[in-house]
Amino acid sequence: MISDSNPMVVANTVSALADIHTSATSQPSTSSSDPAVLSITPTILNKLLIALNECSEWRRVAILSALAWY
């Protein structure tokens, strides 16, 4: 879904994955590894930057927050 051509779908996917990541990292874990829910590759980075220009303000915040992890 993150490689969809519709920027709103991309932004909503990033928002959902960010919520899942926050929920997964807030729970105490027995594993020492960080659950990488969203791995930002250069290809995904390019898609997010393209979607950033065509989204609403609130979805821009979600995308920029995800890019801050990168």
Side-chain angles (χ1 to χ4, degrees), residues 13-33:
T13 302
V14 169
S15 180
L17 290 173
D19 288 344
I20 292 168
H21 178 78
T22 301
S23 178
T25 56
S26 68
Q27 300 294 328
S29 175
T30 58
S31 171
S32 63
S33 64

Side-chain angles (χ1 to χ4, degrees), residues 12-68:
N12 287 333
T13 302
V14 169
S15 180
L17 290 173
D19 288 344
I20 292 168
H21 178 78
T22 301
S23 178
T25 56
S26 68
Q27 300 294 328
S29 175
T30 58
S31 171
S32 63
S33 64
D34 183 30
V37 176
L38 175 62
S39 297
I40 299 179
T41 63
T43 304
I44 291 175
L45 176 64
N46 190 31
K47 283 277 191 185
L48 294 178
L49 292 175
I50 290 170
L52 190 63
N53 193 32
E54 302 176 24
C55 291
S56 67
E57 293 84 16
W58 291 108
R59 293 303 166 209
R60 287 180 185 165
V61 170
I63 292 174
L64 290 173
S65 295
L67 291 178

